[in-house]
PDB file of all heavy atoms in Angstrom:
ATOM      1  N   LEU A  72      12.876   8.018  -0.136  1.00 94.00           N
ATOM      2  CA  LEU A  72      12.032   7.350  -1.081  1.00 94.00           C
ATOM      3  C   LEU A  72      12.841   6.615  -2.144  1.00 94.00           C
ATOM      4  O   LEU A  72      12.322   5.579  -2.733  1.00 94.00           O
ATOM      5  CB  LEU A  72      11.167   8.311  -1.721  1.00 94.00           C
ATOM      6  CG  LEU A  72       9.703   8.548  -1.299  1.00 94.00           C
ATOM      7  CD1 LEU A  72       9.092   9.705  -1.934  1.00 94.00           C
ATOM      8  CD2 LEU A  72       8.954   7.209  -1.409  1.00 94.00           C
ATOM      9  N   LYS A  73      14.176   6.921  -2.347  1.00 92.00           N
ATOM     10  CA  LYS A  73      15.021   6.173  -3.194  1.00 92.00           C
ATOM     11  C   LYS A  73      15.469   4.920  -2.646  1.00 92.00           C
ATOM     12  O   LYS A  73      15.895   4.104  -3.369  1.00 92.00           O
ATOM     13  CB  LYS A  73      16.191   7.067  -3.475  1.00 92.00           C
ATOM     14  CG  LYS A  73      16.069   8.219  -4.400  1.00 92.00           C
ATOM     15  CD  LYS A  73      17.374   8.898  -4.771  1.00 92.00           C
ATOM     16  CE  LYS A  73      17.217  10.193  -5.385  1.00 92.00           C
ATOM     17  NZ  LYS A  73      18.329  11.099  -5.055  1.00 92.00           N
ATOM     18  N   GLU A  74      15.242   4.660  -1.283  1.00 94.00           N
ATOM     19  CA  GLU A  74      15.727   3.427  -0.727  1.00 94.00           C
ATOM     20  C   GLU A  74      14.874   2.229  -1.211  1.00 94.00           C
ATOM     21  O   GLU A  74      13.711   2.310  -1.275  1.00 94.00           O
ATOM     22  CB  GLU A  74      15.874   3.532   0.743  1.00 94.00           C
ATOM     23  CG  GLU A  74      17.015   4.449   1.117  1.00 94.00           C
ATOM     24  CD  GLU A  74      17.279   4.596   2.636  1.00 94.00           C
ATOM     25  OE1 GLU A  74      16.932   3.644   3.330  1.00 94.00           O
ATOM     26  OE2 GLU A  74      17.710   5.586   3.011  1.00 94.00           O
ATOM     27  N   PRO A  75      15.517   1.060  -1.375  1.00 95.00           N
ATOM     28  CA  PRO A  75      14.759  -0.047  -2.087  1.00 95.00           C
ATOM     29  C   PRO A  75      13.594  -0.547  -1.319  1.00 95.00           C
ATOM     30  O   PRO A  75      12.691  -1.020  -1.857  1.00 95.00           O
ATOM     31  CB  PRO A  75      15.864  -1.000  -2.189  1.00 95.00           C
ATOM     32  CG  PRO A  75      17.081  -0.620  -1.569  1.00 95.00           C
ATOM     33  CD  PRO A  75      16.915   0.824  -1.320  1.00 95.00           C
ATOM     34  N   ASP A  76      13.671  -0.311   0.004  1.00 95.00           N
ATOM     35  CA  ASP A  76      12.513  -0.908   0.829  1.00 95.00           C
ATOM     36  C   ASP A  76      11.193  -0.215   0.522  1.00 95.00           C
ATOM     37  O   ASP A  76      10.192  -0.741   0.841  1.00 95.00           O
ATOM     38  CB  ASP A  76      12.874  -0.864   2.270  1.00 95.00           C
ATOM     39  CG  ASP A  76      13.080   0.521   2.779  1.00 95.00           C
ATOM     40  OD1 ASP A  76      13.256   1.421   2.021  1.00 95.00           O
ATOM     41  OD2 ASP A  76      13.142   0.697   4.072  1.00 95.00           O
ATOM     42  N   CYS A  77      11.182   1.015  -0.159  1.00 94.00           N
ATOM     43  CA  CYS A  77      10.007   1.632  -0.386  1.00 94.00           C
ATOM     44  C   CYS A  77       9.272   1.167  -1.587  1.00 94.00           C
ATOM     45  O   CYS A  77       8.073   1.375  -1.874  1.00 94.00           O
ATOM     46  CB  CYS A  77      10.241   3.189  -0.728  1.00 94.00           C
ATOM     47  SG  CYS A  77      10.776   4.034   0.729  1.00 94.00           S
ATOM     48  N   GLN A  78       9.963   0.168  -2.366  1.00 93.00           N
ATOM     49  CA  GLN A  78       9.280  -0.405  -3.534  1.00 93.00           C
ATOM     50  C   GLN A  78       8.102  -1.258  -3.204  1.00 93.00           C
ATOM     51  O   GLN A  78       7.113  -1.194  -3.937  1.00 93.00           O
ATOM     52  CB  GLN A  78      10.281  -1.263  -4.227  1.00 93.00           C
ATOM     53  CG  GLN A  78      11.457  -0.566  -4.915  1.00 93.00           C
ATOM     54  CD  GLN A  78      10.953   0.376  -6.083  1.00 93.00           C
ATOM     55  OE1 GLN A  78       9.977   0.151  -6.723  1.00 93.00           O
ATOM     56  NE2 GLN A  78      11.610   1.479  -6.176  1.00 93.00           N
ATOM     57  N   LYS A  79       8.115  -1.756  -2.038  1.00 92.00           N
ATOM     58  CA  LYS A  79       6.963  -2.668  -1.702  1.00 92.00           C
ATOM     59  C   LYS A  79       5.830  -1.837  -1.126  1.00 92.00           C
ATOM     60  O   LYS A  79       4.635  -2.391  -1.009  1.00 92.00           O
ATOM     61  CB  LYS A  79       7.359  -3.480  -0.403  1.00 92.00           C
ATOM     62  CG  LYS A  79       8.121  -4.721  -0.978  1.00 92.00           C
ATOM     63  CD  LYS A  79       8.159  -5.741   0.303  1.00 92.00           C
ATOM     64  CE  LYS A  79       8.847  -7.088  -0.094  1.00 92.00           C
ATOM     65  NZ  LYS A  79       9.224  -7.729   1.109  1.00 92.00           N
ATOM     66  N   GLY A  80       5.941  -0.570  -0.880  1.00 95.00           N
ATOM     67  CA  GLY A  80       4.916   0.298  -0.380  1.00 95.00           C
ATOM     68  C   GLY A  80       5.375   1.004   0.819  1.00 95.00           C
ATOM     69  O   GLY A  80       6.324   0.677   1.390  1.00 95.00           O
ATOM     70  N   PHE A  81       4.552   2.013   1.167  1.00 96.00           N
ATOM     71  CA  PHE A  81       4.934   2.810   2.400  1.00 96.00           C
ATOM     72  C   PHE A  81       3.672   3.456   3.094  1.00 96.00           C
ATOM     73  O   PHE A  81       2.711   3.580   2.468  1.00 96.00           O
ATOM     74  CB  PHE A  81       5.875   4.006   2.006  1.00 96.00           C
ATOM     75  CG  PHE A  81       5.427   4.754   0.837  1.00 96.00           C
ATOM     76  CD1 PHE A  81       4.383   5.628   0.911  1.00 96.00           C
ATOM     77  CD2 PHE A  81       6.070   4.619  -0.400  1.00 96.00           C
ATOM     78  CE1 PHE A  81       3.978   6.518  -0.178  1.00 96.00           C
ATOM     79  CE2 PHE A  81       5.575   5.312  -1.598  1.00 96.00           C
ATOM     80  CZ  PHE A  81       4.555   6.216  -1.371  1.00 96.00           C
ATOM     81  N   MET A  82       3.958   3.784   4.421  1.00 97.00           N
ATOM     82  CA  MET A  82       2.914   4.361   5.120  1.00 97.00           C
ATOM     83  C   MET A  82       3.595   5.705   5.562  1.00 97.00           C
ATOM     84  O   MET A  82       4.560   5.599   6.480  1.00 97.00           O
ATOM     85  CB  MET A  82       2.484   3.566   6.357  1.00 97.00           C
ATOM     86  CG  MET A  82       1.861   2.315   5.975  1.00 97.00           C
ATOM     87  SD  MET A  82       1.575   1.264   7.445  1.00 97.00           S
ATOM     88  CE  MET A  82       2.994   0.186   7.419  1.00 97.00           C
ATOM     89  N   PHE A  83       3.232   6.845   5.207  1.00 97.00           N
ATOM     90  CA  PHE A  83       3.785   8.081   5.620  1.00 97.00           C
ATOM     91  C   PHE A  83       3.084   8.503   6.885  1.00 97.00           C
ATOM     92  O   PHE A  83       1.834   8.718   6.925  1.00 97.00           O
ATOM     93  CB  PHE A  83       3.728   9.131   4.555  1.00 97.00           C
ATOM     94  CG  PHE A  83       4.640   8.945   3.380  1.00 97.00           C
ATOM     95  CD1 PHE A  83       4.285   9.400   2.228  1.00 97.00           C
ATOM     96  CD2 PHE A  83       5.898   8.468   3.636  1.00 97.00           C
ATOM     97  CE1 PHE A  83       5.153   9.291   1.088  1.00 97.00           C
ATOM     98  CE2 PHE A  83       6.799   8.369   2.568  1.00 97.00           C
ATOM     99  CZ  PHE A  83       6.492   8.768   1.296  1.00 97.00           C
ATOM    100  N   ASP A  84       3.891   8.804   7.932  1.00 96.00           N
ATOM    101  CA  ASP A  84       3.501   9.215   9.186  1.00 96.00           C
ATOM    102  C   ASP A  84       4.073  10.431   9.510  1.00 96.00           C
ATOM    103  O   ASP A  84       5.251  10.468   9.798  1.00 96.00           O
ATOM    104  CB  ASP A  84       3.714   8.083  10.206  1.00 96.00           C
ATOM    105  CG  ASP A  84       3.738   8.453  11.626  1.00 96.00           C
ATOM    106  OD1 ASP A  84       3.282   9.667  11.958  1.00 96.00           O
ATOM    107  OD2 ASP A  84       4.030   7.556  12.462  1.00 96.00           O
ATOM    108  N   GLY A  85       3.338  11.661   9.448  1.00 96.00           N
ATOM    109  CA  GLY A  85       3.990  12.860   9.805  1.00 96.00           C
ATOM    110  C   GLY A  85       4.537  13.494   8.565  1.00 96.00           C
ATOM    111  O   GLY A  85       5.232  14.640   8.641  1.00 96.00           O
ATOM    112  N   PHE A  86       4.163  13.088   7.333  1.00 98.00           N
ATOM    113  CA  PHE A  86       4.653  13.743   6.110  1.00 98.00           C
ATOM    114  C   PHE A  86       3.579  13.360   5.097  1.00 98.00           C
ATOM    115  O   PHE A  86       3.199  12.258   5.021  1.00 98.00           O
ATOM    116  CB  PHE A  86       6.091  13.185   5.694  1.00 98.00           C
ATOM    117  CG  PHE A  86       6.453  13.578   4.344  1.00 98.00           C
ATOM    118  CD1 PHE A  86       6.996  14.942   4.144  1.00 98.00           C
ATOM    119  CD2 PHE A  86       6.232  12.881   3.217  1.00 98.00           C
ATOM    120  CE1 PHE A  86       7.374  15.345   2.918  1.00 98.00           C
ATOM    121  CE2 PHE A  86       6.644  13.308   1.955  1.00 98.00           C
ATOM    122  CZ  PHE A  86       7.208  14.552   1.762  1.00 98.00           C
ATOM    123  N   PRO A  87       3.210  14.371   4.275  1.00 98.00           N
ATOM    124  CA  PRO A  87       3.523  15.777   4.285  1.00 98.00           C
ATOM    125  C   PRO A  87       2.844  16.532   5.399  1.00 98.00           C
ATOM    126  O   PRO A  87       1.837  16.015   5.834  1.00 98.00           O
ATOM    127  CB  PRO A  87       3.034  16.321   2.829  1.00 98.00           C
ATOM    128  CG  PRO A  87       1.984  15.335   2.433  1.00 98.00           C
ATOM    129  CD  PRO A  87       2.372  14.029   3.050  1.00 98.00           C
TER     130      PRO A  87
END
Side-chain angles (χ1 to χ4, degrees):
L72 266 174
K73 280 185 197 151
E74 288 181 31
D76 60 349
C77 292
Q78 290 299 326
K79 280 194 178 167
F81 49 74
M82 298 170 264
F83 285 147
D84 159 7
F86 174 83

